[in-house]
Structure formats: structure tokens, C-alpha cells
Amino acid sequence: TRPARIAPSILSADFARLADEVAAVERGGADFLHVDVMDGHFVPNLTVGPPIVESLKKVTKLPLDVHLMITNADAFIPEFAAAGASYLTVHVEACPHLHRTVQLIKEHGVKAGVTLNPATSLRTLDEILPDVDLVLIMSVNPGFGGQKFIDHCLQKVANARRMLDQIHSHALLEVDGGIKVDNAGRILAAGAEVLVAGSAVFSSPDYGATIAALRAAGQP
Ligand code: DX5
Ligand code: ZN
């Protein structure tokens, strides 16, 4: 089996102490830092933009896994790339010209991810799958941290795993939303490699212990 990688989502961190929070998860063994970008339009919430990504880049060596929950992603890709994003992941529901968007991300030297809301079929990825570096399966409706994992998404993770294996894709399979120590094992068993965890990590007393427990959930 593949090594599980953990991507704490700073959405649940204390934004007034962001550098400390990031240092704590980095020390605690995080593999990526997940940054949730929301525009109050594609999703009913507002968060952060390129300036925060640029500031984070200066205080961490962790790869920045930037999840764009925004319409008109193309207009912001150059700025997020310049700010230091390692991965830029866009929603298929928000990108009518998804192939163009994926190429644009890559032209800026950034790894390209695509993601699906819970009700969006994996079939929408058929034509783009060979071009992507990451597939993110949303296991909550995006917009907020602390929501409950939608169990139906487990089958979708397994199906995505099969689709990626079939084309010998190098793309990472990531899952985001409602992931806790007690369901991480099932998600990893379904074939996920990267687990996003916001509230599970940042509401816990010991970030490092929680990150280790999430990762260990994948071991037999
Ligand atoms: C939801 C975001 C998630 C969120 C996860 O819209 O994309 O990354 O921060 O938070 P938890 O782990 O608390 O569900
Ligand atoms: Zn996210």
C-alpha cells in the first residue's frame, strides 16, 4: 500500500497566529499545507487570496496545496503561481474550459489538480485525467470546515483509484472534508493517498499526535 500523506487545512487554524500554527503542523509531520481559497460566489464563504499564500511560502518548507473554490480561476492562476503554490486545484463545476485551465496551471510551473463536489460524477474527469497531477474528491460540500464526512464518497474514492490505476496515472488521489482519525483508515483503504484534515488537526491538543494517528490509520 502507498504511504499516507497528511495535509492539514489552515481553514481551522488560528489566523491571528498563522505562522505558529503552520510551524506546529510542520514540526508535527505534515506532508502538505492545504490552503482553502473561497470567493463567496462558488461557495458561500470567504477566505484568503494570493497575499496569504505568499506569506505562508516565506514561513514554511511544506508544499502549498491550494484548493481554489472560486469562479474565474483562470484570472487568478498567475498570481497564485507567483505566490508559491505547489499545487493548484480547481473545481470542474467552476471551470467551463477545464482543459485550458489545467494547461494554464502547468504553464506557470505548478502542479495541476482537479476536484469534484460530492454530487458531481467522476465521469466528468474522463477526458482530463491523463493531464492532471492530483485528483481531489470532496467528501463534504465545500465552503466550511467541521462538516460531517459523506459516506457515499468512499465508493467514489475507490472508483477514482481504479480510473487512475487503469491509465497508470502518477496523479495523487486526495480526499477533503470531515476526515477524522476514526474514518481515515477506511478512506485510505479505498485508495486515497493524501488526507486533508482541518478541524481534526487544529481542534486537537497535540497536532503531531493527530497527524501521526491519521497516517497510522492506513496501516494494517
Ligand atoms: C471545505 C474545505 C476543507 C475544510 C476541511 O470546503 O475544502 O479543506 O477545511 O475541514 P474539515 O477537515 O474540518 O472537514
Ligand atoms: Zn479544501
Side-chain angles (χ1 to χ4, degrees), residues 4-12 31-36 65-67 69 89 115 134-140 144-145 147 149 173-181 183-184 187-188 192-202 211 214:
R5 289 186 249 185
I6 310 301
S9 163
I10 58 161
L11 189 58
S12 295
D31 299 284
F32 299 91
L33 196 66
H34 187 83
V35 182
D36 287 304
D65 167 31
V66 179
H67 177 192
M69 287 159 273
T89 297
T115 182
L134 181 146
V135 171
L136 173 61
I137 305 294
M138 289 308 299
S139 42
V140 296
F144 305 94
Q147 302 183 82
F149 185 86
L173 182 55
E174 181 178 51
V175 182
D176 182 7
I179 299 180
K180 310 283 174 201
V181 172
N183 60 14
I187 302 163
L188 291 167
E193 303 165 278
V194 185
L195 303 181
V196 177
S199 50
V201 169
F202 288 102
I211 290 166
L214 286 164

Side-chain angles (χ1 to χ4, degrees), residues 197-216:
S199 50
V201 169
F202 288 102
S203 307
S204 72
D206 181 341
Y207 301 170
T210 305
I211 290 166
L214 286 164
R215 191 180 287 117

Side-chain angles (χ1 to χ4, degrees), residues 3 7 19 21 43 57 78 111-114 121 128 131 135 153 156 160 164 186-187 192 199:
E21 295 275 71
V43 289
K57 186 70 191 170
K111 295 205 166 76
V114 290
S121 169
I128 199 71
D131 293 323
V135 171
C153 298
K156 199 173 180 184
L164 290 168
R186 287 184 292 145
I187 302 163
S199 50

Side-chain angles (χ1 to χ4, degrees), residues 10 20 28 34 51 55 58 71 75-76 88 91 100 102 127-128 134 140 159 166 177 191 201 203 207-208 210 213 215:
I10 58 161
D20 294 344
H34 187 83
S55 298
K58 292 180 189 150
T71 57
F76 296 98
L88 280 173
H91 271 266
R100 175 184 289 149
V102 165
E127 312 302 328
I128 199 71
L134 181 146
V140 296
N159 292 344
Q166 250 160 30
V201 169
S203 307
Y207 301 170
T210 305
R215 191 180 287 117

